[in-house]
Amino acid sequence: MTSRKRQAADSLLPVRSAKYQRTEENQGIWNRWRQLGTDAFTLGYETVRLGYLSLMNSSQNPATHLALPPRPSIPEEFHKPKDSQPVAGLSRLSSSLLSCSESSNALNGNGNSPPSTLTGHTSVTPVPSTSKEHIQHSQSYDFIGNSAHRRGVVGGIRPRQSRDHIYARVHRAKVQEDRKKDREELVQELFHYKRSTGYTSDFDSFKSLINYQARLEILERHALSPSPSLTDLRAKQSLPGHSRRHSFSDDVDPDFLERALRKAKKSFELPPPKPFSPSHDRLRLSARHRDEAIEKRLRPRLPKALPPDGDTQVNALLCKKGVISKVARESVNDRDISRLLPSQWLNDEIMNFYGAMILTRSESNRDPPAKRKMLDVHYFSTFFWPKLKNEGYEQGRLAKWTKKIDIFSKDIILIPINHNNSHWTGAAINFRQKRIESYDSMNLDRHQVFKALRSYLDSEHRNKRKKPFDFTGWQNHNPEDTPQQENGYDCGVFTCQFLESLSRGEEGFRFSQRDMPYLRRRMIWEIGHAKFLDGP
C-alpha cells in the first residue's frame, strides 16, 4: 500500500495574503462590536448627564424654567462643499455631541461645565483627511439622498400613503359589472325601438353600429385622434381572412345611449299632425311624389346573389395571389381584394381602383352629349381631401392636379372623403345642378365639406380663369333619404356605390343595407375583370 504524500508548495506561485490587513482602523469583527457597545454606553451616559445638568440649572434659575433650549446647530462640516477638508480625526457623531454640549452650557450660563467624557476617537467612521476617501463618503451621501428622493421622502418625511380597503377590488368589479349590465339594457331597449322604426339587421350589427356612432361623434366633436379600437382604414392588412375589423366595445358612454334612446322615444311621443285642407300646389306635389314612388317600385331590385358562373369566378379571384387586376395607374393585389369580404373596411387601393374604373368608363364614352348615357365626370383620388383640408389649395399645390383638364367643363366631379381615418363618405361638385353634394351613410353633419369645396372651387377658378367663381344659384345638397348603414364597417361600400350611381346621372339610390353582401361580391367580380357588370 503506497502512502500518499502531500505535494510541496510551488515556490513560483504567489503566496496568498490576508484579505483585510489588521490595522488600527480596520479591526476584527469582535473588536468593532465591543467598540460600538462602548460608544453606545458613552452616548447614553452623556445624554443623561446633560439632561441632569439642564434640570439642575432650571431649578436654580426659575426665570429660565419655561424657556426651551435652542436647536443645536448643525456642524460646520455638513455645510462644506465636497472638495473641502474637514477636521481630521473627528467623527460626525462626536462633533455633533460636542456642539450640543457647548450650546447647553451656554444656555445655562455654566461656562465652567466639566468636559465631556467622550474621546475624540470613536468607532464611527472618522471624517477622512484625504480627498479620495472624502469623495467616496460624499458620493455615498448623494446616493442616500437620491434614493430617498426616489422613494418619495421629502424633507426627511415620507408622505402618507393611503391603502385600499380590503373589499375595494370586489367593489370596483361589482360597479363595472353593474355598469355593463345597465349598458346592455339600454342597448337592448334602443334596439327594440329601432326595430319598430324599420331597422332590419341583427343585434350584433346594431351593437357595432352604436359603437361606431359613438366613436365618430367623439372624433367630430373634439377632433381627437382615432381610438385604437378603430383600425386605420389606410392600414395594410397582414393576412387575408374573415376576422372582423371592428370591435364590439362595451365602453360606449351611457350618456350617448340615453341621448339616442330619448331621440327614439321622442319620435313616438310627437302629437298627431293637425288636419289640413291641401292646396292645389300641395296636391300636385303629392302626385309627383306618388309617381316617383311608383317608378321606384317598378325599377328592378338588386338580386341577392351573383349568377353561378360569376360566383365561381369570384371564388377563384379570392384564391389568387399577387396582383389581381390593373386599370390605368391603379392596381390591387390579393390583400386588397380581401377587404371586400364581409365585415371588412375598404382601403385606399380599393376606393381608387373603383374610381379609376368610373373615370375610364366616362372617358371611353364617345357619344355626343345628347345621346350620352353616362355623365362626363372627373374622379379625384382619396388623397385629394387630406391635401385640401390639411394644407389648402396653395400649399398643397392642388393646381397641378388639374393641369391637363378643365373641371369647369365637366358634368360632375366625384370625391371620396376619408374622415379622421375612420369613416368613408362621398362628395360631388355637380355643375349641371349647381350643387355641392355630400352623401354620408351615417347621416352626420358635413358642413366642413361644403365649406372646403366652395373654397376649392373659388381658388381653382381664380387660378385657371383669373377671376372669382360665381356661386349664384348654387346650393348645398345633403339628401335626407340617403341610404344608411346598419353596422360599423360598410361605409366604404356605400361610398363606392354612391359615386358609381352619380356617374350614371341617377338622382336616387336603389340599394340599401340588405344589398351589401351582394354588392361586395359584385365589386370583387368587377375589380377582378376591370369592368362594370351589366344589368342590375
Side-chain angles (χ1 to χ4, degrees):
M1 182 175 180
T2 59
S3 60
R4 305 180 68 178
K5 296 183 179 180
R6 183 177 180 183
Q7 296 181 358
D10 193 348
S11 60
L12 297 179
L13 294 177
V15 180
R16 181 182 177 184
S17 58
K19 188 173 182 179
Y20 298 101
Q21 298 295 334
R22 294 292 183 261
T23 60
E24 183 179 358
E25 295 183 357
N26 185 17
Q27 302 175 3
I29 185 66
W30 295 110
N31 293 333
R32 283 182 286 176
W33 274 105
R34 184 172 60 254
Q35 186 65 32
L36 185 61
T38 303
D39 291 342
F41 176 77
T42 305
L43 178 61
Y45 172 75
E46 286 292 324
T47 304
V48 174
R49 187 180 67 84
L50 292 175
Y52 175 75
L53 292 177
S54 299
L55 183 62
M56 293 297 293
N57 291 333
S58 62
S59 62
Q60 294 177 3
N61 301 324
T64 60
H65 180 68
L66 298 177
L68 295 176
R71 184 177 181 179
S73 59
I74 300 176
E76 295 181 358
E77 60 196 43
F78 285 92
H79 295 287
K80 293 182 179 181
K82 295 182 179 181
D83 56 350
S84 63
Q85 297 290 343
V87 181
L90 184 62
S91 66
R92 288 180 174 83
L93 179 61
S94 59
S95 62
S96 62
L97 291 174
L98 288 176
S99 62
C100 181
S101 175
E102 293 173 359
S103 62
S104 300
N105 293 336
L107 172 66
N108 301 330
N110 189 6
N112 299 325
S113 175
S116 171
T117 58
L118 279 177
T119 60
H121 175 73
T122 63
S123 64
V124 182
T125 305
V127 177
S129 58
T130 61
S131 61
K132 181 178 181 180
E133 296 179 357
H134 178 63
I135 292 174
Q136 293 177 355
H137 284 290
S138 301
Q139 292 176 353
S140 65
Y141 299 150
D142 295 339
F143 171 76
I144 293 173
N146 295 333
S147 177
H149 180 70
R150 286 194 300 269
R151 294 195 305 269
V153 179
V154 181
I157 301 176
R158 183 188 295 274
R160 182 178 179 182
Q161 298 180 353
S162 60
R163 297 177 57 185
D164 292 338
H165 194 271
I166 57 176
Y167 292 111
R169 184 178 301 176
V170 179
H171 175 69
R172 285 194 294 265
K174 188 176 184 305
V175 169
Q176 292 294 335
E177 184 178 357
D178 292 342
R179 288 179 179 176
K180 183 177 179 180
K181 185 177 179 181
D182 294 340
R183 283 195 298 267
E184 288 292 336
E185 292 178 355
L186 287 174
V187 173
Q188 285 282 358
E189 187 177 358
L190 184 59
F191 175 70
H192 291 314
Y193 274 102
K194 289 293 184 180
R195 293 284 289 185
S196 61
T197 57
Y199 186 81
T200 57
S201 299
D202 56 0
F203 182 66
D204 289 338
S205 298
F206 181 73
K207 287 175 65 177
S208 69
L209 175 64
I210 290 298
N211 180 41
Y212 193 54
Q213 286 178 341
R215 299 292 183 183
L216 291 180
E217 181 178 309
I218 294 175
L219 291 174
E220 292 297 328
R221 185 172 55 197
H222 301 291
L224 300 177
S225 58
S227 171
S229 64
L230 283 178
T231 307
D232 192 348
L233 295 181
R234 304 179 186 275
K236 296 290 185 181
Q237 188 178 6
S238 57
L239 293 175
H242 295 270
S243 61
R244 293 180 179 267
R245 301 291 294 180
H246 63 280
S247 60
F248 296 147
S249 174
D250 293 329
D251 298 329
V252 178
D253 189 3
D255 294 338
F256 172 80
L257 293 176
E258 291 179 359
R259 290 197 304 271
L261 190 59
R262 286 197 301 267
K263 185 177 180 181
K265 289 181 178 178
K266 187 177 180 180
S267 61
F268 288 92
E269 297 174 356
L270 291 176
K274 297 180 180 180
F276 69 99
S277 57
S279 61
H280 179 68
D281 294 337
R282 184 81 179 188
L283 290 175
R284 291 181 58 186
L285 183 62
S286 177
R288 189 177 68 180
H289 287 332
R290 184 170 60 252
D291 294 340
E292 291 177 355
I294 294 174
E295 183 182 357
K296 186 176 181 181
R297 289 184 179 182
L298 293 177
R299 277 185 200 168
R301 296 183 60 180
L302 295 177
K304 294 184 178 180
L306 291 171
D309 56 341
D311 204 54
T312 304
Q313 295 175 11
V314 167
N315 294 332
L317 289 172
L318 291 175
C319 296
K320 189 177 178 180
K321 300 298 181 181
V323 178
I324 303 296
S325 182
K326 293 183 179 180
V327 62
R329 294 184 297 177
E330 304 293 337
S331 64
V332 294
N333 54 27
D334 57 322
R335 292 178 298 177
D336 300 326
I337 206 74
S338 65
R339 295 294 188 111
L340 286 167
L341 292 172
S343 305
Q344 301 289 316
W345 280 347
L346 305 191
N347 59 3
D348 291 85
E349 284 72 17
I350 296 294
M351 305 294 291
N352 290 331
F353 193 95
Y354 210 71
M357 290 173 55
I358 295 174
L359 186 59
T360 303
R361 183 179 63 180
S362 175
E363 292 176 349
S364 62
N365 191 358
R366 300 300 182 181
D367 295 335
K371 298 181 179 181
R372 185 180 298 172
K373 295 182 180 180
M374 304 296 173
L375 299 182
D376 186 11
V377 306
H378 181 71
Y379 182 91
F380 281 124
S381 70
T382 57
F383 306 105
F384 172 80
W385 176 254
K387 283 278 187 181
L388 177 61
K389 181 182 177 183
N390 301 329
E391 300 180 18
Y393 184 84
E394 297 295 339
Q395 188 176 358
R397 298 182 178 181
L398 294 179
K400 293 185 177 181
W401 286 55
T402 56
K403 188 176 182 180
K404 298 181 180 180
I405 62 172
D406 181 16
I407 64 171
F408 302 102
S409 63
K410 301 292 182 178
D411 293 329
I412 191 170
I413 309 297
L414 304 177
I415 307 168
I417 298 178
N418 187 311
H419 297 276
N420 300 316
N421 286 338
S422 301
H423 183 55
W424 290 108
T425 65
I429 303 175
N430 196 330
F431 289 99
R432 295 201 312 167
Q433 303 288 341
K434 287 190 174 182
R435 293 188 313 206
I436 297 178
E437 304 169 353
S438 175
Y439 302 94
D440 186 0
S441 59
M442 294 293 290
N443 200 23
L444 299 177
D445 183 21
R446 298 301 175 194
H447 63 277
Q448 75 276 10
V449 174
F450 300 126
K451 181 179 179 181
L453 292 183
R454 282 179 177 269
S455 175
Y456 168 75
L457 269 181
D458 185 66
S459 300
E460 178 73 9
H461 201 269
R462 289 173 184 269
N463 183 273
K464 298 296 191 298
R465 303 291 177 87
K466 308 303 180 183
K467 61 180 180 180
F469 185 79
D470 185 12
F471 285 100
T472 304
W474 281 74
Q475 298 178 353
N476 296 335
H477 184 62
N478 186 16
E480 297 180 355
D481 58 347
T482 303
Q484 299 295 292
Q485 66 185 89
E486 297 181 358
N487 51 45
Y489 43 83
D490 278 336
C491 56
V493 183
F494 273 88
T495 300
C496 288
Q497 298 306 314
F498 289 152
L499 301 181
E500 196 276 331
S501 299
L502 292 173
S503 69
R504 290 187 277 107
E506 292 191 3
E507 290 292 331
F509 307 106
R510 53 176 179 151
F511 59 87
S512 62
Q513 178 63 53
R514 65 173 177 268
D515 301 314
M516 288 299 109
Y518 163 74
L519 289 175
R520 282 179 177 268
R521 302 281 292 183
R522 175 172 175 165
M523 288 179 65
I524 294 176
W525 190 96
E526 292 174 340
I527 291 176
H529 294 81
K531 66 177 183 178
F532 289 99
L533 191 64
D534 295 333

